[in-house]
Structure formats: C-alpha cells, structure tokens
C-alpha cells in the first residue's frame, strides 16, 4: 500500500524499493529478508520485485545477503533473475571485491552497482570505475 500511494503522490521515478534476499534452496529461489537479513518473510524475491514494480516502484535496489560483505562477487543468478523479470532499473549490491565482479554484470540489464567496502579497502579504485564502460 505504501509503495502504491507514494508512487501516485510523488511519481515512480522517486520510489526505490530495497530488497534483501537470501538463497532459499538449491533450486534457484531466493527469499526476502528484513532487519539486515535476520528475519525471513517467506516471500520469493523475484516475485516480490515484480509486485513492487507493479505497485509503482521506479527502481529496485537488490542486495544478496549471501554475498554481502564477502567480496567474492555478486550473486549473478539472483541478479539476473530479478533484472530479467523487470522493465524497471535494478541496482546490484552485495559482494563486489574486484573490477572483475563488476565486469561480470556488464551484460545484465542493470542501472548501477553498489561497490562499498571494495573501495574503502582499495580493491576497486574510483579511477577504474570512472573508465569502466
């Protein structure tokens, strides 16, 4: 209800829905979590992203809780599943440790990536990001 009302009032371009997801099983399903990945909701992450887009979200900020902070790459399967199921922009988050990780996302339909810790620790530089096409 909140997303729908906010999108109607402010426009979809102002509404970003953040989704924290963890792998639910080996069959390629991910579950939405809240409270920093502590509380399972029982909601399928791909279906939830689609529902939020239907309610008027203009972007999805997708974080893989399985990969977040590990710096060994994004969850490519999760990111692809969500981004391919939507027509709105998706921002990938959780797991980047090198430019190679970012390059692996280049072919996906993404609006952006969150780099975070990799910059602070010098694994990725702003100069590298600036020159990445």
């Amino acid at each position: 209800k909140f997303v729908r009302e906010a999108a109607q009032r402010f426009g979809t371009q102002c509404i970003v829905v953040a989704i924290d997801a963890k792998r639910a099983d080996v069959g390629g399903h991910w579950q939405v979590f809240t409270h920093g990945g502590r509380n399972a909701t029982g909601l399928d992450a791909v279906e939830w992203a689609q529902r939020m887009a239907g309610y008027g979200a203009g972007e999805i900020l997708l974080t893989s809780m399985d990969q977040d902070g590990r710096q060994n790459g994004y969850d490519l399967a999760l990111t692809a599943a969500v981004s391919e199921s939507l027509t709105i922009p998706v921002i990938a988050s959780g797991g980047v440790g090198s430019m190679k990780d970012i390059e692996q996302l280049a072919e996906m339909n993404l609006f952006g990536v969150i780099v975070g810790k990799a910059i602070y620790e010098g694994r990725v530089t702003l100069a590298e990001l600036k020159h990445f096409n």
Side-chain angles (χ1 to χ4, degrees):
K1 180 178 176 181
F2 174 79
V3 171
R4 188 180 300 128
E5 289 176 5
Q8 289 172 349
R9 181 170 181 178
F10 301 108
T12 60
Q13 78 284 356
C14 293
I15 308 303
V16 178
V17 172
I19 298 175
D20 289 345
K22 284 186 182 180
R23 187 171 296 279
D25 59 42
V26 294
H29 298 279
W30 299 268
Q31 185 176 172
V32 176
F33 277 71
T34 63
H35 299 85
R38 292 186 304 276
N39 297 341
T41 65
L43 299 168
D44 179 85
V46 176
E47 292 174 6
W48 185 248
Q50 292 168 338
R51 186 188 293 178
M52 292 300 99
Y55 288 163
E59 292 179 22
I60 298 293
L61 170 55
L62 177 65
T63 300
S64 167
M65 298 304 292
D66 297 310
Q67 295 298 100
D68 197 35
R70 295 178 182 235
Q71 295 185 308
N72 59 358
Y74 294 98
D75 184 330
L76 299 176
L78 167 63
T79 305
V82 171
S83 66
E84 291 171 5
S85 75
L86 300 174
T87 58
I88 63 171
V90 174
I91 301 167
S93 176
V96 68
S98 69
M99 280 302 297
K100 180 182 176 189
D101 298 331
I102 296 168
E103 291 165 1
Q104 290 179 318
L105 297 175
E107 299 301 317
M108 291 188 198
N109 180 29
L110 296 176
F111 182 71
V113 297
I114 297 208
V115 179
K117 188 175 180 181
I119 287 180
Y120 302 130
E121 294 184 352
R123 293 173 175 249
V124 175
T125 68
L126 293 176
E128 288 175 310
L129 290 171
K130 183 178 178 182
H131 290 96
F132 179 71
N133 290 336

